[in-house]
Every structure is written in structure tokens, then in C-alpha cells.
Amino acid sequence: MAYVKNLFDRNFLEYASYVIKDRAIPDLEDGLKPVQRRILHTLFEMDDGKFHKVANVSGQCMKYHPHGEASINPALVGIANKELFIDRQGNFGNLYTGDEASAPRYIECRATALAKDIFYNPKLTEWAPSYDGRNKEPVLFPAKIPVVLIMGVEGIAVGMSTKILPHNVIEVLEAEIACLTGKKFDVYPDFPTGGYVDISDYQGGNGKVLVRAKLDTSDPKRILITELPFGSTTESIINSIDAAARNGRIKILGINDFTTDKVEIEIKLARGVYAQETIDALYAFTECEQSISVNLLVIKNGLPAVMTANDIIKYHAKQLVKILTKELELEKRELLDKLHLRTLERIFIEERIYKGIEKMKTAKGVQDAVAAGFKPFLKEIAPRNVSEDDIDHLLRIPIRRISLYDINRAHDEMEQIKTRVKEINAHLKNITAYSVSYLKGIVVKIKDNEEIAGGARKTIVESFDKVIAKEVVNRDVDLKYDARTGYLGTNVSGSKVCEVSPFDRILAIRKNGMYTVMDLPEKAFVGADAWWTGVADKEALAKTTFTVIYKDKDTGFPCIKRCVIEGWIIGKDYFLVPDGAAVLHIDTRPKFTFTVNYAPKPRLKALSENFRAQNFNVRGLKAGGIRLSNKEAEKVTVD
């Protein structure tokens, strides 16, 4: 049994780790989930400057992604619709209406130049075998910008989830520049659907935001929705408005959807209803306003980590410096290798060292002759020596190239290499400034490319309070009570108690002193001759003192209890008086006078006595009442 338990525990942990790291949560380094990384890697492999069928890309990607095209195609469409890293051709769906993309065999895509600039560097990328061992795939791309903030992502793993909102790419890059130059910075969400966002509780990506649609109320008899809140589509917005209208929350004549490449939903208002007075109801009862909770969880150094947006900017600023340093050092090494070979070629051809091999009959003799020929020129090629690989390279130079060798051209090429090496050395000495100039170059490319989204901010940052439905809805529903049958509700044929809203809760105090708070009922039994029924408004009830006059169960002596009803559990029964006591009167006036009439007894001279309610202290709900007299009460009359 212990073996089976350990087996299940180990398998579950392995599965949980796999889902967290390899499926649902993006990595901080390149901001991608594995399926997204594999899609981009496939596009880089297939890149020939032309568009490729998405179906073909999915098929190629399955060499690396074991879960099939059902997960590849939606992920590819999602990246393409960000309009940053994948060029698209064909119908990739409509972000506003929620329409899906065409079948993969009809639409085409290719990697953008920006994607190759940001992600692609095979010489600096760590590689690992694919799931079947036939190919190599990138462990992580050396991404130069904080992609996880720009793209936004949502994922549910085992025991944890992530929801990262998209940010404006220009603002993210400018924040990274500010970080590198030691200036203050902040980044806030920016949504492709526009609208408004309140970031007062954003908490760097671990709190929540309020999002709103953009409404045009210039015409008092209609409202136009021109931008959507994040997470909504025109269809979901219209459905929520229809539902609110059916439930009587808003009064409209109809809805028309004219959305194409821009959002335009027309709401025609009913007679006597105007745009300005309907706005709050739209925010309260429809998807025109939503609260979105966020959780910035990423994989950092192989482990899940909760970070803030500013932390990610700082991390990637350091990572950019490291990546650019590695790229410059790699380019420098390659240029020095090239310069070394070009120098050897020049000496080999100009000094006719190749003539020394004509009389040699063995391969070793040939190599020794070449090595001996370079001895007078070792200072020119210092600090390096002539290696066997160098000699092999020189011996492979064709005769045609030797005969057509251009000394001036070779000299110019070597000078260009030396100039570039000097530039690289200068960049390495001022790597922070070089990193800033690189980011500024990316900003210019994005602003100049109209096909790349994310240049101008689309979502307006504003501060606004969430509209509470209870505060917006009108109290126009009649609450009725039939004292004869004991029924209370909106569907009762009795006398009107008050006007309520569908969100109100109702307090009913029964004849025996038991009280209950309930949701607004259509028809609920509270008993005949109930003492009090009305809206259970906590603020109002906190200022209301209930005065209860009752007769003790055992002695019949009159007692008074003054209290405030403050807290309750919906549907639970509570008692204002001890069990079995007979309630004689309940009143909510702060001051009043009442008379207790006593039962006639031998030698009892005074059969009544007057009292003032305000002379008795207000006590807790669980406290007992105060005895008024030692005489048996019969009834109470109130002035």
C-alpha cells in the first residue's frame, strides 16, 4: 500500500511540475509558453521571406510539440493577433466580435523582422533534444525585451495560475530605458480593445483593475459603445445588455451592432429615458464595466515566482546588457578570426608562399613548407600562430581566386573589419549606453512600421469608482404583506409595505418576537400579525432602536428590551425575546410613552402604569430584558 501511495505521490508531483513549467506558465527569460516558443522556432526554421500556410507551420511544429495542432493553431493565431512577432495574411478572426480565424489551410503567416531581432540568435541559444530525440529545440530564446509584459498571458496549472495583462510595447521599452539610465518608471496595462482602465489597485500586476467600455452619449436618446473593455466581445456585451433589459435593470428599445474593423454598438433608449441617466446602469448591470483580478506568476530560474511589472523591467534591463555583451563578444571573436584568415591569405598570395609547395611530394611536406613560409611574417599575424586548420584553409584556396586576387580590395576589407572591432570595443566599454541606443532603435522601428500594433496607447488610464448595482437600481417594486394570511413578498395580494429593489434584503419580525433577514421573496410565510417588515439596510438599522415590550413566560411580569439589529446570516432565525415569552408591543420610535395594563387581582389597587421608553438603556441583542414591575401584565397601550 505504501508503495502505491509513493507511486501516486511521485507521479502527481512530476505531472504538476510538467504542467507548471512546460505548458501553462510562461518563462521570464523570453516571456513565452513552450508551445509559443516552438511556433516561433518553427517559423525561424522555415523563414525564406515568404508566407507559409498555417497548416504547414502547424505540421512542422509538431516535430517539437507533442500535443498536436489543437493547441498549436490557437496559440499561433493568438501571437499573430498581437501583430508584433508574426505577419499574417488572411482571416485571423476578429478581436472585437470574437469570430474565429479561418481554417489553417486558408491563412498564412511568417516571422517578422522584429521577432528575428528580439529572439533569434542560434549561437547564443541553449538547445535540447525534442520529445522524440530527432531534432533540437531551444530551451529558451535570448529575448532582448520583456515579452511577458507586452504579450500578456493567462494560464491555469496545478495548484497555481497566472494572469498577466498586456502592456504597451513602447511604454515597456521606454520604462526599460529609464531603468538603465537610473530614472523612475512605472508601466500600466494597455488593451488592444481600448476602453478605460483604473489602475489604483493594480499593485504592480498582483491586484486588480477596473475596465470600462468607451461610451458616446452625445445623442441623449442613444448610446454608442465605441471601445470594449478588456476580455469582452461585441457579442458578450450585447448579451449582457439584453439580459439587463429583460430583468428590468435598464430600459431600451433595441440594440444594433454595426461593428466592422471598429466597434460600434448602438443602444436605442426607451421613451422618457436619457443617455446620462442610463450610464451608471450599464456599468452596474452589464459587461460595460468589469473588475479583473491579476496575478503576475512566471517561471524564473526553473521555479514559479510571483513578481511585479517593475521587477520584470529591472530583470530584463540586466538581461539585455548581458545578451548584448555576449553578442558583441561573439561578433568580435568572429571578426578577429576572419581578420586572421584574411591576413594569412594576403601573405600567402602576395609573398607567393604557395610556390614553396610545388616540389613537395607528401602532405606533411606541403604543410611544413607553408608553415616555414610564414616564419618571416609571424609579427604581422601576432598574437596568433599559424595552426594546422589555417594551413588547411589556405591549401583549399582555388587557383582562380589566387590569380584574380585584388590586393586593394583585400586591404579595404581588413580595414573595415578593424574599424568594426574598434566600434565593438567602444560599445563594450559603454555597454549601458549601447543597450539604451538599441532599445531606442527598436522604438523607432515599431513607430515607423504601421503594420506593427502597439505604438500609441489604446486604453485610457483614469480613476473611477466601481458602480455598485444596489446604488444604481431604482426601488420601484412593491413589497406587500397580508396580515390575515401571513404572507410577505412581491407577488402577494395585501397591503403595500414599501418600495424595494431586486437587490434589497428584507427584515421580518414575527408575532412571537422571532426575526429573519431574507432575500427579496415573491411569496414567503412570516406569520399573521407580524410586528415589523421592511428593508434590511445595515446602515439604517444601525441607527434604529427596536423597543420590545413582552410578558415573561413563567411569571407574566412585563419586561422591556431596547436593542439594535446589526448583523445576521441570511435565512437564519433569531429571537428578540426569551423563548416562550409573549410579545406585547414592538416600536422603532426613539421616544414614546406606553401604558402597561395589569391583570385584576385581589387587593390590587393600580391596574395600569405609565412608562417612557427612552428612560431605559439600549442593550445587546443577547441581553435579557428589564423587568418593569412585579405584577402580571395583561396588555400594553401606546401613545
Side-chain angles (χ1 to χ4, degrees), residues 470 473-477 499-505 520 535:
K470 292 181 180 180
V473 68
N474 294 324
R475 283 183 168 169
D476 53 5
V477 179
E499 291 185 342
V500 295
S501 77
F503 294 97
D504 284 332
R505 287 168 176 169
L520 181 64
V535 177

Side-chain angles (χ1 to χ4, degrees), residues 293-325:
S293 296
V294 290
N295 181 36
L296 211 162
L297 177 74
V298 294
I299 301 297
K300 180 181 180 182
N301 298 325
L303 296 173
V306 176
M307 303 180 70
T308 66
N310 284 11
D311 289 339
I312 290 178
I313 295 291
K314 293 175 184 176
Y315 180 91
H316 270 275
K318 294 178 181 178
Q319 177 169 294
L320 175 64
V321 171
K322 291 178 182 178
I323 293 173
L324 292 179
T325 301

Side-chain angles (χ1 to χ4, degrees), residues 507-522:
L507 170 65
I509 303 178
R510 296 173 172 82
K511 184 65 177 175
N512 60 355
M514 181 174 71
Y515 73 91
T516 307
V517 176
M518 65 189 80
D519 291 324
L520 181 64
E522 290 187 2

Side-chain angles (χ1 to χ4, degrees), residues 566-598:
E566 293 180 315
W568 54 76
I569 297 174
I570 301 297
K572 184 176 180 179
D573 295 332
Y574 299 88
F575 279 92
L576 289 173
V577 297
D579 188 23
V583 179
L584 301 176
H585 182 72
I586 294 180
D587 210 302
T588 58
R589 291 176 294 174
K591 296 180 180 180
F592 67 93
T593 302
F594 63 93
T595 302
V596 178
N597 298 298
Y598 300 119

